[in-house]
Amino acid sequence: MNKKCIKGLVALTVLISIVVAWNIRKNSDANGNNGQLSIKTSSEAAHQAKIDKKIVKTYQPTREIAAITEKIGFTEKGRVIFYASNPQLLDAADFNAEVPDSYDTNATLGYYNHRKIFLYRIKNQDLEDIVEVTAAHEALHADWYRLTCQERRELMPLLEEDYAKIKTEKTEKLLADYAKFELGQRDNELHSFLGTEYHHLSPKLEKHYAKYFKNREKIVTMYENYQSKFDALEQKSTQLSAETTSLKERIDSDLSQYETDLTNVNSEIDAFNSRSQNKAYASESEFIADRDSLQQKVSELTERQTQISSVVDQYNAKTDELNRIALKSSEFNKSINSKAIMPNQVPKAS
């Protein structure tokens, strides 16, 4: 069972990233094939290819699936594998009915069960191309299922070698997450992950992917187009969170000192007024000196109050912007989460 998912977190500080997650089933075999037979020999692969072509002869893609296929730019082999997997673009209720629940809380974008590809119909225009990239991702899972054991063994070191060049703490965490949900599928995941999300792979891997895509770089660019929107939200949120935290600390410190100084000046004013009323000043010059000193302190406090108010305005403006980002993130998360419209549904382990 292979699933293309996206994980989102909506909060004051927004962290969003695209991920692919796997669900583990109790009947998974050692190769992570979920109890289904994998292709082991070239003769089996040839037999599967004949079956695929037979299926495709009778398969009639919907207008939407045909458009997705055209936009991805499959080669003839890639198109046959995609159509042989009976790809279906579904709204939330139908999609949720087809996709098993998982241990994780990721929003599932696509699902391949070694027979069919299911794609969630995402309608958010800001996330254009996300369905196409998901379809390409799932098609590569369908391809992986059709590879022989020998072909997989030859690909595994190539996948790991290229991944080593681009891996980050975030991707390592994601791959660790995949391992929790479906054992034995790291290379299967890397096969789809690298093939749809990264430019400039090794010549051998590019040659492999060229069997299925006319222009793989186009697919990666589509991925980057929508991923950049998630990244921009995350980066801006992180920046604004740091700035608002710093401003809040400054406001608290400045305001605390201002209130202390204001109390002291008010006490000095009370003492000055008392001395003046009691005619305790020995000379007019002494009176004027104290008065001018207090007026200077009041002027300084007034200026500080204005400065603090300006910083508060900055803080409020950045907080408003951070809240707008959170709302945009919430919109994104809901649009990609087929279960967002089903709040009473409790996730179950599959």
Side-chain angles (χ1 to χ4, degrees), residues 22 159-160 163 167 172 175-176 178 182-191:
W22 304 92
L159 294 169
E160 293 290 354
Y163 172 66
K167 69 179 180 180
E172 284 290 89
L175 286 176
Y178 305 146
E182 191 160 349
L183 301 176
Q185 290 287 357
R186 176 185 174 87
D187 295 291
N188 186 355
E189 178 51 43
L190 282 179
H191 182 243

Side-chain angles (χ1 to χ4, degrees), residues 166-288:
I166 55 90
K167 69 179 180 180
T168 64
E169 184 176 341
K170 181 181 289 188
T171 60
E172 284 290 89
K173 182 180 183 303
L174 293 181
L175 286 176
D177 287 343
Y178 305 146
K180 297 178 184 177
F181 303 113
E182 191 160 349
L183 301 176
Q185 290 287 357
R186 176 185 174 87
D187 295 291
N188 186 355
E189 178 51 43
L190 282 179
H191 182 243
S192 290
F193 180 56
L194 294 176
T196 56
E197 299 182 16
Y198 288 92
H199 294 288
H200 313 306
L201 300 178
S202 68
K204 289 183 179 180
L205 276 184
E206 293 290 3
K207 182 179 180 180
H208 166 72
Y209 289 121
K211 299 175 185 176
Y212 312 105
F213 305 120
K214 296 176 182 177
N215 184 358
R216 191 186 68 82
E217 293 293 299
K218 174 185 174 182
I219 299 169
V220 177
T221 298
M222 288 193 293
Y223 162 76
E224 290 176 335
N225 286 342
Y226 69 79
Q227 175 63 52
S228 64
K229 297 177 182 179
F230 286 92
D231 291 342
L233 285 174
E234 179 180 355
Q235 292 166 8
K236 191 61 176 178
S237 175
T238 300
Q239 173 191 336
L240 287 171
S241 293
E243 290 176 354
T244 54
T245 297
S246 177
L247 288 172
K248 181 63 165 56
E249 292 173 351
R250 177 181 171 184
I251 290 168
D252 289 344
S253 176
D254 290 352
L255 192 57
S256 176
Q257 186 62 52
Y258 170 83
E259 290 174 345
T260 296
D261 293 344
L262 178 62
T263 298
N264 292 336
V265 169
N266 282 331
S267 295
E268 292 181 36
I269 290 174
D270 289 341
F272 170 80
N273 289 335
S274 176
R275 291 182 66 190
S276 178
Q277 291 170 2
N278 294 327
K279 299 181 179 181
Y281 280 101
S283 66
E284 183 178 358
S285 60
E286 183 182 356
F287 168 82
I288 293 174

Side-chain angles (χ1 to χ4, degrees), residues 31 38-41 147-154:
N31 291 321
S38 62
I39 293 175
K40 294 181 172 61
T41 66
L147 296 176
T148 66
C149 290
Q150 178 60 32
E151 288 173 324
R152 292 184 188 179
R153 281 194 293 268
E154 291 173 355

Side-chain angles (χ1 to χ4, degrees), residues 70-133:
E70 178 68 21
K71 194 168 185 178
I72 290 173
F74 285 111
T75 61
E76 179 61 20
K77 182 174 183 177
R79 185 187 67 85
V80 167
I81 291 176
F82 185 56
Y83 281 175
S85 302
N86 189 22
Q88 299 176 38
L89 184 63
L90 305 174
D91 287 324
D94 291 334
F95 183 78
N96 291 335
E98 296 290 352
V99 179
D101 290 328
S102 68
Y103 287 117
D104 65 340
T105 58
N106 293 335
T108 303
L109 304 181
Y111 169 64
Y112 173 65
N113 69 356
H114 292 185
R115 294 184 302 108
K116 296 180 179 180
I117 289 175
F118 300 104
L119 304 170
Y120 177 43
R121 181 182 280 109
I122 297 170
K123 302 175 182 178
N124 191 322
Q125 295 301 311
D126 287 338
L127 301 178
E128 183 182 5
D129 298 332
I130 194 169
V131 173
E132 285 80 3
V133 175

